[in-house]
Amino acid sequence: MGVQRADVDKKITIGVCVMEKKVKCGCEVFSAPMRQILERLEAFGEFETIHFGDKVILEDPIECWPICDCLIAFYSSGYPLEKAEAYAALRKPFLVNELELQHLIHDRRKVYKRLEMFGIPVPRYALVNRELPYQELDYFVEEEDFVEVHGNRFWKPFVEKPINGDDHSIMIYYPSSAGGGMKELFRKVGNRSSEFHPEVRRVRREGSYIYEEFMPTGGTDVKVYTVGPEYAHAEARKSPVVDGVVMRNPDGKEVRYPVLLTPNEKQMAREVCLAFRQAVCGFDLLRSEGRSYVCDVNGWSFVKNSYKYYDDAACVLRNMFLDAKAPHLSAAIPPTLPWKVNKPVQLSEGLTRQGSGLGKFGQSEELRCVIVVMRHGDRTPKQKVKLKVTEERLLNLMLKYNGGRPRSETKLKSAVQLQDLLDATRMLVPRSRPDHESDSEAEDIEHAEKLRQVKAVLEEGGHFSGIYRKVQLKPLKWVKVARSNGEVEDEWPVEALMVLKYGGVLTHAGRKQAEELGRYFRNNMYPVEGTGLLRLHSTYRHDLKIYSSDEGRVQMSAAAFAKGLLDLEGQLTPILVSLVSKDSSMLDGLDNASSEMDEAKARLNDIIINGSKRSHINGSSEFPWMADGVGLPHNASELLPKLLKLTKKVTEQVRLLAKDKDENLTETSTYDVFLPYDQAKALGKTNIDVDRIAAGLPCGSEGFLLMYARWRKLERDLYNERKDRFDITQIPDVYDSCKYDLLHNAHLNLEGLDELFKVAQLLADGVIPNEYGINPKQKLKIGSKIARYLLGKILIDLQNTREEAIGVAELKSNQKQGVTITRTEKDDTDYHSKHVTKTDDMRRTSTTSEKSMDQDDDEDKETKYRLDPKYANVRTPERHVRTRLYFTSESHIHSLMNVLRYCNLDESLRGEESLVCHSALERLCKTKELDYMSYIVLRMFENTAVPLEDPKRFRIELTFSRGADLSPLEKSDSEAASLHQEHTLPIMGPERLQEVGAYLTLEKLEKMFRPFAMPAEDFPPPSIPAGFSGSFSKSSAVLERLVNLWPFHKHANPNGKQ
């Protein structure tokens, strides 16, 4: 009996055989997480801990090492892993993390191979192995925007990782279309974790690397921590690829928040743990476009600053140790945990760059969703050059890039293609211009001038970066050419149409506008004192997605806005690639309404040129917006000759400037100081180029030659002298150029520009809105066609937000009524229950069941990050706001606005009132232009005091802004002068589209939108695998998912669900 009693009383010894630098915390023997967990284990009274120490590990033979029952040992720099393996073979302790496989973790090639062996998803990758630094490899090819490894091509952005897992210098290379450059990621130094290098475009060659596809994750990284194969804890942080600023709390700790894992991700955590036989293991998870990938395995890792995690880890490790060394002892967890309960420290509201908590609107209304559709910022005028080419060099270039097909057109956009075109053009441009020209030479001279313009555009910037130049070559004429054998004739192009599109680049002012507007939204569109959004976002209770059309200026506007909204730092390129998703099908193009728009323009031309009568539907006195061609000046036909005369006057002045300065300065070194103008670096600036302005040069990247070409083309296109005909479609372009030069080139003192601006504005204010429909019914028809996809997406955003909110409300209601109390208490007991390893068959059944649940119940397939309420020190973890930002062009802003205000004119909605109140309709009638950074905002609020089934539970608020305020261009006071100096116009504040006190329900908005919105079933099919879903979706599933949020290591139920 005495011997048996001694066996029972004997404590299990836990050896900690780890380098001191990895476990020490100041003067403490162990780091905070290690100490917290070991103290909890010892508090059970069943364990004692032995710390080996560096001297024993490094100097003593293994025979002299302390003998222990269970061993915690993991590799770090300088650690004798082979020696530890020999000790384990000698003493045979239970190993928490097996030692042999720890060798793999320090070679990224072996890590990926092991992950693939176990069927764990990894990013698409390829290996480049060099035996010597800078060794040339025949299977490795690098071009401007991609690398190719064994024929496997990786387009930028891509990631470059050293094969050595201990080398944390990881590079991300960005495409020239986004501005180019490279971001270097590294271990945190102070408050930095990455640096952007805009000038670096070539990959490293001094070693061996893994190249892998860049995975867009919405600017968030997820770190998963396992404690045994049945327990996983996940935390999210801001990804270093965004701006490289490490967010820290007042104690200097990096800010991370626990997030929920999907069932599929839980299975991945189990597989990682088993594949590497590391019970305590950390790994990096990427969530991208509905899929999850493991991109790194770190080995031994503990969560920091989470008392609940320390409790869990101690209980799970206790079960492991008892199973291995004392299975006769009971592993049941006592009702009260034996250690003193540590109360978690309340999360500080003073997080560095984060802000304080979010308040409520009123007593019972809370903001649930913010949807914004926004136009891009200030840009340079869009330009186009058309010329017919017969030169052999250019025709051969077309054949080179269209696969040798004589009747196929070619689009040149890449750096290599544009460089080839520039080389060819340089050979063709005449060295000098003739002093005089005869009629016979006029056509050749015009052709040479256009070639010179093409050359100037291609040379602009010094290198081809940024999305602002593209060339189309389309064959027009062919001849038959006999082959050498004389039997077959081939076609050969002899003439082609070259179309060069350029300009339309976001200016320094456009970037500044977008960034400042982002800050305004952060401070005003979300509750409380302006820090509520950052607080929500940092705690993963803000679901943000940003979408952009394919145009470079729109993408960069979105990135600049995101920088201001989220208080980010650094260059726009990494922000763009990390946070902005392109969706051209939703936010680009007018093809669906091209015939209707042509009809509107024809009618508009009839009204202006021929003075056709305008019809009124409901009488212009009470409803002035119902007239045909509303907004057009009555003397429009009389203004056109004046517009032409002033355009010619400005064009002549620019011609003289081009002749006097462009040609003369080209021959001197003075001009070289300012050229080439680096467009990529310009994207990172919000200030004007003072040196160019002081030198009397045009603002930005435009030289006098291109400025003259711009005005000369406007003059020619506006009026056809031979046909004696005005082209009213050129009025917006004339106005665009006036506005640009008045804001950015006022220092050139172009006489008559002010007057031209006023005349052009009068005409453009009537022409532009009427191009999208000459009357309300036509505006509605065109608007619904252009914005159909966008309207459908907005409805889905609102519906998903409602379902999520209802799910949370139902859960809270059930908890109050005691429905889930029994289950919750059982969860807490099961949470610390004895660890039981399930069979693989049971695991597969459980996983399949949960996958199908996730797959079926989620229409919104966007990647989500959800705060885990069990582990978060946040007062209101259930509070959640969804934000969707859609950046687009003028056409979509006009289209959406027209649907908003005229949707009640549809036959299916007869008798319904407009979504926009009468006073707002009057203001919109007088609002002719939706300028740069104009926007429409839909905010959805939930009234928690109203029953769930009541339509008034969810209220929609509609506001809009006209965008840039043009009044400084029309004034001459000190404020206007200051804005002129900065070349930037302020953005007008939001205006209500509803009467004060009006109550627009979500139900009513859905009813009014639905006839014009694309149904969800017509959306492009999502490329989402079975098994992934966000944590919230349809309301019934939301309730089930939230109720079933218990820890990873619980036993399976008979029905297969965890």
Side-chain angles (χ1 to χ4, degrees):
M1 289 292 294
V3 174
Q4 291 176 352
R5 182 73 231 170
D7 287 342
V8 171
D9 291 341
K10 181 184 176 184
K11 292 186 177 182
I12 297 171
T13 54
I14 302 172
V16 182
C17 180
V18 181
M19 299 294 284
E20 291 175 0
K21 64 183 179 182
K22 299 300 291 185
V23 295
K24 269 199 170 185
C25 181
C27 59
E28 300 284 345
V29 175
F30 296 114
S31 65
M34 181 78 84
R35 184 178 72 252
Q36 293 278 356
I37 293 168
L38 291 177
E39 285 177 354
R40 282 162 168 75
L41 283 169
E42 291 175 344
F44 280 109
E46 302 153 336
F47 308 98
E48 64 177 343
T49 303
I50 304 172
H51 181 231
F52 285 29
D54 284 3
K55 183 178 183 301
V56 170
I57 295 171
L58 297 175
E59 299 178 10
D60 293 357
I62 59 172
E63 292 79 10
C64 299
W65 286 15
I67 297 175
C68 59
D69 299 307
C70 304
L71 185 67
I72 294 173
F74 57 87
Y75 175 84
S76 60
S77 177
Y79 184 79
L81 187 56
E82 292 82 2
K83 193 174 181 182
E85 289 180 80
Y87 170 80
L90 176 66
R91 303 299 185 191
K92 296 181 171 49
F94 169 74
L95 297 175
V96 178
N97 283 17
E98 293 196 20
L99 298 171
E100 181 183 353
L101 284 178
Q102 290 187 30
H103 292 282
L104 298 183
I105 293 174
H106 306 283
D107 188 325
R108 289 191 172 97
R109 295 170 297 186
K110 295 177 181 178
V111 168
Y112 272 22
K113 185 177 180 180
R114 187 82 176 175
L115 290 168
E116 289 179 301
M117 184 188 304
F118 279 76
I120 300 167
V122 298
R124 186 174 68 90
Y125 75 97
L127 302 175
V128 173
N129 294 306
R130 290 188 177 87
E131 296 179 0
L132 298 170
Y134 304 100
Q135 177 185 2
E136 291 298 324
L137 303 169
D138 56 5
Y139 63 80
F140 179 73
V141 177
E142 181 181 13
E143 296 292 348
E144 176 74 14
D145 272 329
F146 68 84
V147 293
E148 197 169 280
V149 185
H150 292 296
N152 194 4
R153 184 169 293 185
F154 293 84
W155 290 94
K156 292 180 179 178
F158 58 72
V159 183
E160 176 189 70
K161 297 178 178 178
I163 61 169
N164 181 0
D166 298 320
D167 185 345
H168 298 278
S169 179
I170 295 173
M171 311 297 194
I172 299 172
Y173 296 88
Y174 296 99
S176 57
S177 62
M182 175 272 288
K183 171 154 278 196
E184 179 183 9
L185 312 186
F186 45 76
R187 284 238 161 142
K188 293 185 286 288
V189 179
N191 73 330
R192 303 294 307 179
S193 58
S194 67
E195 290 291 342
F196 181 61
H197 304 277
E199 73 285 352
V200 177
R201 288 172 166 79
R202 309 291 289 180
V203 301
R204 292 175 287 183
R205 283 177 161 77
E206 54 266 34
S208 298
Y209 300 97
I210 291 178
Y211 290 93
E212 67 181 49
E213 195 172 2
F214 177 83
M215 314 298 289
T217 64
T220 298
D221 283 350
V222 177
K223 181 90 166 184
V224 182
Y225 302 86
T226 68
V227 185
E230 308 302 328
Y231 178 91
H233 174 93
E235 290 191 342
R237 63 166 185 175
K238 185 178 73 174
S239 171
V241 307
V242 180
D243 67 351
V245 176
V246 179
M247 310 305 289
R248 298 185 183 276
N249 62 22
D251 297 326
K253 305 290 187 183
E254 184 179 16
V255 175
R256 295 186 179 189
Y257 282 92
V259 292
L260 300 170
L261 291 173
T262 67
N264 198 36
E265 290 169 340
K266 294 175 184 177
Q267 176 67 7
M268 290 168 66
R270 170 183 166 82
E271 296 293 345
V272 168
C273 186
L274 296 174
F276 292 88
R277 299 205 288 270
Q278 307 291 298
V280 178
C281 186
F283 65 90
D284 295 333
L285 191 73
L286 299 177
R287 290 174 172 174
S288 179
E289 298 177 350
R291 298 173 181 264
S292 299
Y293 306 84
V294 176
C295 66
D296 198 11
V297 178
N298 312 119
W300 186 280
S301 297
F302 274 148
V303 177
K304 300 177 179 66
N305 304 314
S306 173
Y307 290 95
K308 184 154 181 50
Y309 168 82
Y310 299 151
D311 294 350
D312 299 342
C315 292
V316 175
L317 287 171
R318 172 180 180 264
N319 293 344
M320 287 184 190
F321 294 152
L322 292 180
D323 280 352
K325 292 299 180 180
H328 56 284
L329 295 179
S330 170
I333 302 297
T336 303
L337 294 173
W339 53 86
K340 182 181 178 181
V341 176
N342 290 291
K343 294 183 179 179
V345 178
Q346 286 294 333
L347 192 69
S348 169
E349 298 293 353
L351 293 177
T352 307
R353 293 167 52 83
Q354 294 296 325
S356 59
L358 174 67
K360 295 182 179 180
F361 278 123
Q363 296 299 313
S364 55
E365 266 201 345
E366 290 204 18
L367 180 67
R368 288 286 177 246
C369 185
V370 178
I371 297 174
V372 184
V373 181
M374 185 173 290
R375 190 182 173 190
H376 57 76
D378 180 70
R379 58 160 172 79
T380 62
K382 291 186 289 185
Q383 297 291 294
K384 185 188 292 185
V385 182
K386 286 185 179 181
L387 65 158
K388 292 180 180 178
V389 296
T390 56
E391 291 84 351
E392 188 176 355
R393 287 179 182 275
L394 298 176
L395 297 174
N396 286 341
L397 189 66
M398 178 180 68
L399 292 170
K400 175 181 177 180
Y401 288 112
N402 72 1
R405 293 168 294 179
R407 288 187 176 267
S408 296
E409 68 177 55
T410 304
K411 291 183 179 179
L412 309 178
K413 291 195 289 187
S414 74
V416 172
Q417 293 170 337
L418 293 177
Q419 186 62 54
D420 274 357
L421 178 60
L422 175 57
D423 293 341
T425 308
R426 281 171 172 163
M427 299 293 292
L428 297 171
V429 171
R431 296 285 178 178
S432 61
R433 297 183 177 92
D435 295 330
H436 62 277
E437 60 183 72
S438 64
D439 292 339
S440 60
E441 295 174 326
E443 191 173 328
D444 290 339
I445 292 173
E446 182 179 352
H447 181 77
E449 286 295 324
K450 286 188 175 181
L451 279 176
R452 189 175 281 108
Q453 186 180 348
V454 170
K455 173 176 171 287
V457 171
L458 294 175
E459 288 176 337
E460 179 185 21
H463 55 77
F464 298 106
S465 62
I467 320 167
Y468 74 111
R469 282 174 290 204
K470 48 190 174 184
V471 177
Q472 182 182 16
L473 285 166
K474 184 177 182 179
L476 298 176
K477 294 180 181 179
W478 304 261
V479 294
K480 296 284 187 179
V481 178
R483 288 188 178 180
S484 56
N485 57 17
E487 296 178 0
V488 183
E489 288 187 335
D490 284 335
E491 279 190 329
W492 194 260
V494 292
E495 183 180 82
L497 176 66
M498 178 191 289
V499 181
L500 166 64
K501 293 181 179 180
Y502 66 99
V505 184
L506 189 71
T507 65
H508 58 85
R511 169 178 168 153
K512 187 174 182 179
Q513 287 173 330
E515 200 171 321
E516 289 181 350
L517 190 55
R519 280 193 288 271
Y520 174 85
F521 265 66
R522 186 213 313 160
N523 295 329
N524 294 278
M525 286 295 173
Y526 298 83
V528 184
E529 66 276 11
T531 55
L533 173 65
L534 292 183
R535 171 74 172 140
L536 271 181
H537 196 76
S538 70
T539 54
Y540 297 92
R541 293 174 295 160
H542 178 225
D543 179 7
L544 170 68
K545 297 292 181 298
I546 306 174
Y547 296 93
S548 162
S549 71
D550 199 39
E551 295 289 349
R553 58 184 168 274
V554 182
Q555 294 176 44
M556 286 301 175
S557 296
F561 184 92
K563 182 178 180 180
L565 182 74
L566 300 179
D567 197 21
L568 302 174
E569 294 183 2
Q571 299 278 347
L572 291 187
T573 296
I575 296 172
L576 169 65
V577 173
S578 302
L579 297 181
V580 180
S581 301
K582 285 193 295 185
D583 195 323
S584 58
S585 59
M586 179 166 59
L587 298 167
D588 267 330
L590 306 172
D591 294 344
N592 292 337
S594 56
S595 60
E596 288 84 357
M597 289 189 71
D598 289 342
E599 183 183 329
K601 289 176 183 178
R603 174 74 176 125
L604 192 60
N605 185 78
D606 208 29
I607 293 173
I608 294 176
I609 303 298
N610 302 324
S612 297
K613 291 183 179 180
R614 311 179 193 185
S615 62
H616 299 80
I617 298 175
N618 290 320
S620 60
S621 57
E622 186 179 358
F623 304 102
W625 53 86
M626 301 302 287
D628 282 7
V630 64
L632 283 170
H634 293 290
N635 61 339
S637 59
E638 299 169 14
L639 290 174
L640 287 174
K642 188 174 182 181
L643 183 74
L644 178 60
K645 180 181 178 182
L646 290 167
T647 302
K648 286 184 174 182
K649 183 176 182 179
V650 171
T651 304
E652 177 60 18
Q653 290 176 80
V654 178
R655 185 187 73 81
L656 294 174
L657 285 170
K659 181 179 180 182
D660 293 344
K661 293 191 176 182
D662 231 25
E663 291 185 347
N664 294 338
L665 288 176
T666 302
E667 300 171 2
T668 70
S669 60
T670 310
Y671 201 53
D672 295 335
V673 175
F674 307 102
L675 291 177
Y677 184 88
D678 194 326
Q679 183 63 40
K681 289 183 179 178
L683 289 173
K685 300 172 71 173
T686 55
N687 299 315
I688 61 173
D689 193 327
V690 178
D691 291 336
R692 283 183 63 89
I693 303 301
L697 296 172
C699 181
S701 60
E702 190 177 51
F704 281 115
L705 173 63
L706 294 183
M707 187 178 179
Y708 171 57
R710 166 162 61 91
W711 278 102
R712 187 169 180 239
K713 184 176 186 299
L714 287 172
E715 179 190 320
R716 289 184 173 183
D717 293 347
L718 178 63
Y719 179 68
N720 187 317
E721 291 186 0
R722 185 171 60 85
K723 295 181 180 180
D724 187 25
R725 181 185 300 168
F726 284 95
D727 183 354
I728 64 165
T729 64
Q730 296 301 312
I731 290 173
D733 293 335
V734 175
Y735 173 61
D736 194 30
S737 270
C738 281
K739 186 166 59 174
Y740 176 81
D741 285 333
L742 204 57
L743 180 62
H744 295 282
N745 289 322
H747 61 286
L748 298 180
N749 299 312
L750 297 175
E751 187 181 346
L753 185 62
D754 285 354
E755 190 179 359
L756 176 59
F757 171 73
K758 292 173 184 175
V759 175
Q761 186 180 39
L762 276 173
L763 288 164
D765 282 351
V767 169
I768 293 172
N770 284 292
E771 287 184 330
Y772 301 99
I774 206 71
N775 55 48
K777 285 202 169 183
Q778 195 177 46
K779 289 180 192 293
L780 178 61
K781 185 176 182 181
I782 291 174
S784 61
K785 287 195 170 187
I786 292 175
R788 183 170 179 261
Y789 189 172
L790 178 58
L791 285 163
K793 181 62 168 61
I794 289 172
L795 281 184
I796 286 179
D797 294 336
L798 294 170
Q799 290 162 2
N800 284 329
T801 305
R802 174 182 55 200
E803 289 163 0
E804 173 190 317
I806 289 174
V808 172
E810 287 174 343
L811 175 64
K812 292 175 71 175
S813 175
N814 289 338
Q815 285 177 333
K816 287 180 181 178
Q817 296 170 20
V819 174
T820 60
I821 295 299
T822 305
R823 182 57 173 273
T824 303
E825 289 175 348
K826 181 179 183 297
D827 288 347
D828 288 338
T829 304
D830 288 349
Y831 192 74
H832 303 297
S833 63
K834 181 174 179 178
H835 168 73
V836 178
T837 305
K838 303 173 181 63
T839 66
D840 287 344
D841 288 341
M842 287 181 70
R843 170 58 58 182
R844 274 193 288 272
T845 303
S846 170
T847 305
T848 304
S849 172
E850 290 185 307
K851 281 183 180 181
S852 63
M853 180 187 77
D854 275 4
Q855 181 183 2
D856 293 341
D857 65 15
D858 196 4
E859 291 177 356
D860 185 5
K861 297 295 183 180
E862 296 162 313
T863 302
K864 301 178 183 68
Y865 301 91
R866 296 294 193 216
L867 188 72
D868 189 339
K870 280 186 174 290
Y871 295 85
N873 294 333
V874 173
R875 295 189 188 97
T876 53
E878 75 284 351
R879 176 174 289 151
H880 189 261
V881 176
R882 178 188 300 249
T883 297
R884 294 292 180 268
L885 306 176
Y886 299 98
F887 285 83
T888 184
S889 57
E890 183 181 37
S891 61
H892 279 65
I893 293 287
H894 275 284
S895 298
L896 180 58
M897 181 60 81
N898 287 338
V899 172
L900 275 174
R901 55 179 169 168
Y902 299 131
C903 55
N904 63 311
L905 300 180
D906 187 74
E907 292 294 329
S908 65
L909 298 170
R910 277 192 174 277
E912 295 286 350
E913 291 187 5
S914 171
L915 291 173
V916 179
C917 67
H918 191 279
S919 61
L921 285 170
E922 286 185 330
R923 276 185 280 116
L924 285 168
C925 183
K926 298 172 184 176
T927 300
K928 308 303 190 303
E929 184 172 11
L930 295 173
D931 209 330
Y932 301 131
M933 303 310 303
S934 54
Y935 58 82
I936 298 168
V937 178
L938 294 84
R939 292 200 297 179
M940 186 171 104
F941 298 90
E942 181 183 11
N943 188 341
T944 55
V946 172
L948 284 176
E949 63 276 7
D950 192 322
K952 289 191 174 182
R953 177 85 181 195
F954 297 100
R955 177 177 70 87
I956 302 295
E957 176 192 272
L958 301 174
T959 56
F960 86 105
S961 167
R962 287 173 277 177
D965 182 2
L966 299 180
S967 59
L969 297 180
E970 303 160 0
K971 298 177 183 177
S972 56
D973 56 18
S974 58
E975 183 182 353
S978 174
L979 291 169
H980 265 299
Q981 285 183 346
E982 297 178 6
H983 294 197
T984 307
L985 296 174
I987 305 301
M988 303 184 76
E991 302 176 46
R992 298 180 63 91
L993 290 173
Q994 303 149 292
E995 296 287 1
V996 176
Y999 206 100
L1000 173 61
T1001 65
L1002 174 59
E1003 187 178 277
K1004 170 73 179 290
L1005 183 82
E1006 289 176 320
K1007 178 182 178 181
M1008 302 297 281
F1009 268 14
R1010 198 167 285 118
F1012 316 104
M1014 179 183 288
E1017 57 268 21
D1018 290 350
F1019 275 40
S1023 56
I1024 308 298
F1028 181 85
S1029 165
S1031 299
F1032 292 88
S1033 54
K1034 294 182 180 176
S1035 55
S1036 59
V1038 171
L1039 179 60
E1040 180 180 1
R1041 188 178 285 116
L1042 286 173
V1043 168
N1044 290 289
L1045 288 179
W1046 67 90
F1048 186 32
H1049 66 276
K1050 292 201 303 296
H1051 310 309
N1053 291 330
N1055 65 4
K1057 289 185 179 180
Q1058 285 188 337

